[in-house]
Amino acid sequence: MIRKYGTGEISSGQCYIMLISMMVGTGVLGLARSVAEASQQDAWISILLNGIGISFIVGLIVLLESKFPEITFLQFTSILLTKPIALVIVFLYGVYATLVTSLSIRFLCEMVGTWFLPRTPLFVVSLITVLTLIYITKEGLTLVARFNEIVVFSIVPFIFLIFPSLTEASLLNLKPVGGSGFVNIVKGITPSFYAFAGYEVLLIIYPYIANKNKNNLKYSVLSIFFVTLLYTSIVASQIALFGYQEITDILYSFINYLDVLDFPIIERIEIFFTFFWTFAVLGTLTIQYIVGCIAFQSTLKTKRTNTFVYVLAPVVFILSLLPKNSAQVASLSEMIGKANIGFGVILPILLLLMYLVKRKRVNHEESM
């Protein structure tokens, strides 16, 4: 059972904010380029369709977990898939979260090295990031949720940075709508899916929500809709400004988008944005890291989550230094991102199907 008022408790509002923070991180910078390579001027349609699909999956996750409101992910997975299978799944999720954390740390180091500290050794930036992770996550999920509240509300004003450059944009770059063809639009769903990766943490953190109610489903789906509209707006505005042909040649098109206009007072708006963006990535890191620690803690039956906060720290530090360059980071991210399909799509659907098969027996056991 989840102990109420413990260090792991969060509110439903914090859960929705964590979902937003989890998704709005590393994916936003190169999203337009990766999707436009497949969907051309219709990249925004691919993202919109993808967001609708993920909203449906998140709805399934909340619906499923609402049937087991007071037990952990490991416990209700054991009921539906047997204990040995559940242990393997949750342990693998911990491995997946650790790998994602390591690659995200390396991605953050690459950006910090490019824009702020070009002469600082990579391992120094990585070490500082890992130490920061330990400091934020050692007190448990509650503190992580509070940190991400600050992160999300501090980056909300940057949403309005989408609009000034639109004065230089042309809607002709978005036409003809649907002109890339249905097949290309579908192809663009895959790279945009990776940008939404992270919503699967709901499987782990949902049991720790203290004030569960009938609105959990509605607001969880709305949080996905918010990210979907944000991503769709960002990509559509970049294509309208540059055209999809030019975007495919730009590594971080969003930063170039911000650099089009001169802002009063702030001369280098892209530097200003990147500074705050590092905190957004750090918010994503804290969630992924603590979720991985919770997964290992539940499978290995230790009493304290922060044991793994310290144990996994040197692991993610070393793993973050293994890729040789940015291209290898991107390649590894794509490979590990495919695991998100398993944890974020296949697993929730499988669990829901097993619940429907075992519903009568499960309900009977809970009533006893």
Side-chain angles (χ1 to χ4, degrees):
M1 304 287 281
I2 302 300
R3 180 167 62 89
K4 284 187 176 294
Y5 310 114
T7 57
E9 185 181 76
I10 59 175
S11 69
S12 57
Q14 287 174 327
C15 178
Y16 314 139
I17 287 174
M18 289 173 74
L19 281 179
I20 294 172
S21 180
M22 190 68 216
M23 290 182 286
V24 182
T26 57
V28 68
L29 295 184
L31 176 61
R33 178 186 59 81
S34 60
V35 183
E37 286 178 348
S39 303
Q40 301 173 13
Q41 76 275 9
D42 296 319
W44 64 274
I45 300 178
S46 299
I47 294 170
L48 186 60
L49 293 175
N50 195 43
I52 293 171
I54 289 177
S55 298
F56 178 72
I57 296 295
V58 167
L60 291 182
I61 293 174
V62 175
L63 183 63
L64 174 65
E65 298 222 41
S66 65
K67 307 299 181 183
F68 307 92
E70 298 298 328
I71 61 177
T72 65
F73 176 51
L74 174 62
Q75 290 170 331
F76 80 75
T77 305
S78 299
I79 293 173
L80 298 176
L81 297 176
T82 74
K83 185 69 173 287
I85 295 176
L87 285 170
V88 172
I89 288 174
V90 179
F91 184 83
L92 288 176
Y93 188 95
V95 173
Y96 162 75
T98 302
L99 292 174
V100 172
T101 301
S102 303
L103 282 174
S104 298
I105 290 173
R106 178 56 182 269
F107 185 82
L108 179 62
C109 292
E110 296 277 351
M111 290 299 297
V112 170
T114 300
W115 293 98
F116 299 117
L117 306 171
R119 296 183 180 180
T120 303
L122 189 70
F123 76 89
V124 174
V125 181
S126 180
L127 179 62
I128 292 173
T129 304
V130 172
L131 292 175
T132 305
L133 272 184
I134 294 173
Y135 180 76
I136 296 172
T137 58
K138 64 185 176 68
E139 298 299 330
L141 193 60
T142 303
L143 187 61
V144 171
R146 291 171 181 170
F147 173 74
N148 278 276
E149 283 184 291
I150 297 172
V151 168
V152 169
F153 287 116
S154 65
I155 64 174
V156 163
F158 285 91
I159 295 174
F160 296 99
L161 291 177
I162 298 172
F163 302 108
S165 296
L166 290 179
T167 57
E168 304 292 327
S170 171
L171 292 178
L172 292 175
N173 289 328
L174 294 171
K175 295 180 179 180
V177 175
S180 64
F182 176 78
V183 174
N184 286 332
I185 291 174
V186 172
K187 286 181 180 178
I189 290 177
T190 300
S192 65
F193 178 81
Y194 298 145
F196 284 87
Y199 66 89
E200 69 278 1
V201 298
L202 193 58
L203 289 166
I204 302 290
I205 67 176
Y206 184 87
Y208 294 88
I209 299 175
N211 56 333
K212 298 181 183 73
N213 53 59
K214 61 183 180 181
N215 291 322
N216 287 336
L217 176 60
K218 178 174 69 175
Y219 289 114
S220 295
V221 172
L222 284 176
S223 66
I224 305 299
F225 274 135
F226 172 80
V227 176
T228 300
L229 292 175
L230 176 63
Y231 277 169
T232 303
S233 300
I234 288 174
V235 171
S237 60
Q238 290 177 52
I239 293 175
L241 180 64
F242 297 119
Y244 77 88
Q245 297 95 336
E246 185 173 346
I247 283 180
T248 56
D249 296 326
I250 302 174
L251 183 59
Y252 301 123
S253 55
F254 188 62
I255 294 179
N256 291 78
Y257 176 83
L258 297 176
D259 199 31
V260 169
L261 290 181
D262 293 327
F263 288 80
I265 303 177
I266 304 173
E267 184 176 351
R268 297 289 302 278
I269 187 64
E270 73 278 8
I271 299 293
F272 189 68
F273 166 79
T274 306
F275 174 78
F276 280 91
W277 173 85
T278 58
F279 288 96
V281 176
L282 191 59
T284 299
L285 284 171
T286 57
I287 299 170
Q288 196 69 267
Y289 190 59
I290 193 65
V291 164
C293 292
I294 292 172
F296 284 124
Q297 180 261 330
S298 62
T299 55
L300 300 178
K301 297 182 179 179
T302 56
K303 293 183 178 180
R304 297 177 63 85
T305 303
N306 65 0
T307 299
F308 289 94
V309 170
Y310 296 109
V311 169
L312 291 177
V315 176
V316 297
F317 172 67
I318 294 171
L319 289 176
S320 70
L321 300 177
L322 292 182
K324 297 179 181 179
N325 48 50
S326 298
Q328 198 170 68
V329 172
S331 177
L332 290 171
S333 297
E334 186 175 346
M335 290 174 57
I336 295 175
K338 293 178 181 178
N340 176 253
I341 298 175
F343 290 112
V345 179
I346 298 174
L347 181 59
I349 293 175
L350 175 62
L351 290 173
L352 184 62
L353 290 174
M354 292 304 298
Y355 172 77
L356 294 176
V357 171
K358 297 184 175 182
R359 178 169 50 187
K360 291 184 179 180
R361 192 175 75 184
V362 170
N363 291 339
H364 175 70
E365 291 176 355
E366 290 183 342
S367 64
M368 293 179 64

